[in-house]
Amino acid sequence: MTYAVHLRAVQQVPSVFDVDLPVFDDRPVCSGEFRGSVFILDEQGIQQAVAPWPVPTDEEADVTLQRLGLERLTTWEHDEFGRRTAHVTPIRTGADRSDRWPPQQLQTIG
């Protein structure tokens, strides 16, 4: 499938490293200690935006995308690095049918 805007969202959990054995954290999800983020990559793999991801679920990652003005086009799947990723696109409203990502809604890097 071809998309007008080539953006990919990535769920990032900074405290979890890619290892052969499963990693389990004994802290409850509701403990408030989870510090994940969702970041957006362009078609060259350059990070364009990042936002906090407060609860480690796909549903909360979707809410984070909405805060960035984006919506998910594909299911969350693991990439070659073990990260959960999905294709995303700008949210298109009735008056705004452009394929431009609204920069005023982004938390940009740099």
Side-chain angles (χ1 to χ4, degrees), residues 7 22 24 32 43 60 76 80 93 101 107:
L7 300 172
F24 299 98
E43 59 190 9
E60 283 297 319
W76 290 104
E80 64 272 16
T93 61
W101 194 13
Q107 297 179 23

Side-chain angles (χ1 to χ4, degrees), residues 57-67 70 72 76:
T57 65
D58 289 347
E59 292 80 14
E60 283 297 319
D62 290 342
V63 170
T64 299
L65 289 174
Q66 290 173 359
R67 285 197 314 266
L70 299 166
R72 185 168 45 87
W76 290 104

Side-chain angles (χ1 to χ4, degrees), residues 3 8-9 18 26 37 41 49 55 64 71 74-75 79 88-89 92 95 103-104 106 108-109:
Y3 305 108
R8 181 168 282 280
D18 188 22
D26 60 357
S37 60
L41 302 176
V55 179
T64 299
E71 63 184 341
T74 60
T75 59
D79 67 5
V88 296
T89 191
R92 292 152 67 95
Q104 71 275 12
L106 303 180
T108 56
I109 307 292

